[in-house]
Structure formats: C-alpha cells, structure tokens
Amino acid sequence: MYPILPVDPNQKLDHEPLGTKRKFWFRDGERRMLFKAEERGTGEDWAEKIACELCRLLGLPHVRYNLAEESQSRTPGVVCETCAPPPAALVLGNQLLLAIDSSYPADAARRYKVREHTVAAVAEAVRLLQPPPARWMEGVPDGARSALDVFTGYAMLDAWIANQDRHHENWGVLLVERSLHLAPTFDHGASLARNLTDEERQDRLATRDVGRSIGRFVRRARSAFYPDVAAQRPLTTVEAWRAFSGMSSAAGAAWLARLGGISDDTIRGVVEEVPTHRMSQTCRDFTTALLIENRRRLMANEDE
Ligand SMILES: Nc1ncnc2c1ncn2[C@@H]1O[C@H](COP(=O)(O)OP(=O)(O)O)[C@@H](O)[C@H]1O
Ligand SMILES: [Mg+2]
C-alpha cells in the first residue's frame, strides 16, 4: 500500500498561487516540499500517485508524488519536492513561448483553448532546451536523448493516462545556472478520467452497448495541443503523441518499447496499491481497464 504522509500546516512557508487547487510549500529538513490539497473529492490525489508510478515504470523524468494528509483538518492530497531547488528556477511553458514569440498569449488566466499552443510552436521551443539535468535522466531509454525526445515521452504518457491537462503551465523549463533544461513532467492529477462517478464507471465496465464501452470512451480524450492556430479543436491525446513522435521517431519507438514491456498485472498492481479508502473497487477496475485499453491502442497504432 502506498504510504500516506502527514503534513503539518504549521510548517507552511508560503502559498503557491499558480494552478487551481489550494496548495502550500513547507520545509522538510533541507527539502522544499509542496502539498496539493484534494478538497473537491475528484480523485486528483490517486490519479497523481498512479501517474507518478507509471512515469517511474516508463523511465520518464518526473516529479515524485506521495499521497498525503494534512493533519488537524485531515484533508487528503499529495506532496512532492520542488524540482527547482534554489538557485535553480522553474519557468513555465507559456513564458518560454512568449520569449520566442512576443505575440504568444501567455496570460495565466487563459490556460485552456489556447490555439497558439500548437505542436509546432511547442516543439520549436523544446528544441531550444537541453534535456533534463542528469539526475532526472537515469531511467530514460538510450533512444531518447534530446529534450524533444523526452517531451515525446510526456506526450505518450498523456495518451496512456488520458491526461487532457498538458496546457502551457503544465510543462516547463529548469533554469540551472545559465542553462535551460526541459523540466521533469508534473501535474497529472487531471488524468485517468478521475472525476467520473462510480455509477458511470460501473455502467461502462458492464455495458454491451459498444457506444458506452471503455474502448469508445477513451477515444474522446483531448490534449491541450492544437494542430495549427486556425483549428477549431485540439488534437486528441493520441494524435498529439503521433505528432510529437513523428518528429522524434527513434525516441517514439524507444518509448513505445517501454510501454509494451509493462504487463496488465503490473498495471493492476500499481492501481491496487492505492489505499481502499481513497479509491473504490469500481474505480480501480475502471482505471485498470482504461490503462490497458490505452496501452493497446498505442501499441497497435490504431486510427481514431
Ligand atoms: N515539484 C514542483 N517543483 C517546482 N514547482 C512546482 C512543483 N509542482 C508544482 N509547482 C508549481 O506550482 C504550480 C501549480 O502546481 P500544479 O502541480 O501544476 O497544480 P495544479 O493542479 O493546481 O495546476 C506549477 O505550475 C508550478 O509553478
Ligand atoms: Mg498545473
């Protein structure tokens, strides 16, 4: 079972204003840690933890999350260490895109439906970066060496876990001394269809109606990447993965090989480690089925 780490709100250093949920930074010995509260009951805590374990299995550079609970209020959530301990700094994707193109709509209030967040613009920006610093690269396959190769792995992760939230503040750059590195992947709480009701999950697991099936449901996942600035809709998560892997094909193959090596039992095991009071049995069954179906689709390179 994944441990649930206690977080003492009296250790709070400062609030983190970015993003949507309440969160604060605190000190744990020498480490600067972030607590992200899950107050809405939408499952972002277990989704974040499962995504983190899947990143580890793939070998992706990723922020490590643990389940957590704020003492006194007993608010559930997750904790992670900063990926940019001072003097390093995290610069978010929108600021990098703005630095490259002064007309880029970097306004933090507009995170969704930003048509300028195209695959081409993001790839051009990521190509300017170094890969993540060495300590993050330990698990990365040999075929994925450049920052774009690694980012292609993030796009595959997003398609696997149905992460629709890779907007321009959910990827970034580590500024270390004077070099710019791709940051490890972070913020996967809005994935795995975590906010469905158990009633809908049960229905989709049991149905004989193909239209209601999980196979049909998972095809609806949309990324936050646009094919071009005139497009009406963002790409699906699988289309976005294909677009990035098309630019980085050896890396795409290396990431797919990693995914292909992860068995159904391993996936089930990752999900089963979530404590039962944080995730119902229906939710576990549905989440496992979603991951198995998305892995199958990615490996089969199926058309949408
Ligand atoms: N591990 C981390 N290291 C450094 N900064 C972080 C880390 N996690 C989050 N942040 C900062 O906090 C912001 C919000 O966190 P995020 O995980 O994206 O939460 P939300 O789900 O609310 O968007 C991020 O955009 C980033 O600026
Ligand atoms: Mg975020």
Side-chain angles (χ1 to χ4, degrees), residues 38 42-54 65 67 78 161 187-195 274 278-279 283 287:
E38 166 48 300
T42 51
E44 301 211 359
D45 54 340
W46 59 257
E48 192 83 87
K49 180 60 184 168
I50 290 172
C52 167
E53 296 303 310
L54 299 176
Y65 293 93
L67 297 173
V78 293
I161 67 174
D187 194 6
H188 316 106
S191 63
L192 297 169
R194 89 292 173 209
N195 55 356
V274 177
R278 293 252 179 140
M279 198 179 185
C283 185
T287 304

Side-chain angles (χ1 to χ4, degrees), residues 115-180:
R115 292 180 185 177
E116 293 80 357
H117 194 245
T118 61
V119 171
V122 172
E124 182 193 341
V126 170
R127 278 199 180 100
L128 300 174
L129 306 176
Q130 305 292 317
R135 79 175 181 95
W136 299 99
M137 292 290 283
E138 279 162 18
V140 172
D142 289 341
R145 286 294 119 198
S146 70
L148 187 60
D149 292 346
V150 173
F151 198 91
T152 296
Y154 300 173
M156 187 185 76
L157 170 77
D158 291 343
W160 188 21
I161 67 174
N163 181 18
Q164 310 193 89
D165 208 30
R166 179 88 52 195
H167 57 64
H168 60 202
E169 287 193 327
N170 277 341
W171 60 272
V173 178
L174 288 181
L175 176 58
V176 186
E177 289 161 7
R178 303 195 73 182
S179 356
L180 298 174

Side-chain angles (χ1 to χ4, degrees), residues 7 30 59 84 109 111 163 167 187 198 245 277 295:
V7 174
E30 291 294 291
R111 273 193 292 269
N163 181 18
H167 57 64
D187 194 6
D198 269 3
S245 62
H277 65 282
R295 189 203 49 198

Side-chain angles (χ1 to χ4, degrees), residues 117-277:
H117 194 245
T118 61
V119 171
V122 172
E124 182 193 341
V126 170
R127 278 199 180 100
L128 300 174
L129 306 176
Q130 305 292 317
R135 79 175 181 95
W136 299 99
M137 292 290 283
E138 279 162 18
V140 172
D142 289 341
R145 286 294 119 198
S146 70
L148 187 60
D149 292 346
V150 173
F151 198 91
T152 296
Y154 300 173
M156 187 185 76
L157 170 77
D158 291 343
W160 188 21
I161 67 174
N163 181 18
Q164 310 193 89
D165 208 30
R166 179 88 52 195
H167 57 64
H168 60 202
E169 287 193 327
N170 277 341
W171 60 272
V173 178
L174 288 181
L175 176 58
V176 186
E177 289 161 7
R178 303 195 73 182
S179 356
L180 298 174
H181 299 261
L182 179 66
T185 183
F186 61 93
D187 194 6
H188 316 106
S191 63
L192 297 169
R194 89 292 173 209
N195 55 356
L196 290 188
T197 62
D198 269 3
E199 194 181 6
E200 179 169 353
R201 289 191 181 101
Q202 187 55 49
D203 185 47
R204 290 190 185 279
L205 280 166
T207 188
R208 292 191 180 177
D209 172 358
V210 177
R212 294 282 296 160
S213 67
I214 292 177
R216 202 53 79 75
F217 173 78
V218 293
R219 290 194 224 164
R220 300 204 316 233
R222 296 245 155 221
S223 76
F225 298 106
Y226 282 78
D228 56 70
V229 290
Q232 291 297 314
R233 295 210 296 177
L235 297 169
T236 65
T237 52
V238 170
E239 287 167 344
W241 141 253
R242 286 214 193 117
F244 282 103
S245 62
M247 289 181 282
S248 196
S249 55
W255 289 120
L256 263 190
R258 281 287 168 86
L259 181 63
I262 299 172
S263 69
D264 292 7
D265 280 351
T266 303
I267 293 173
R268 194 168 287 111
V270 164
V271 174
E272 288 302 326
E273 290 291 313
V274 177
T276 46
H277 65 282

Side-chain angles (χ1 to χ4, degrees), residues 4 22 35-41 45 67-70 73-78 277-278:
I4 297 182
R22 179 171 72 87
F35 173 67
K36 291 176 69 175
E38 166 48 300
E39 284 160 326
R40 300 175 298 181
D45 54 340
L67 297 173
E69 184 178 87
E70 192 177 11
S73 70
R74 306 204 61 188
T75 308
V78 293
H277 65 282
R278 293 252 179 140

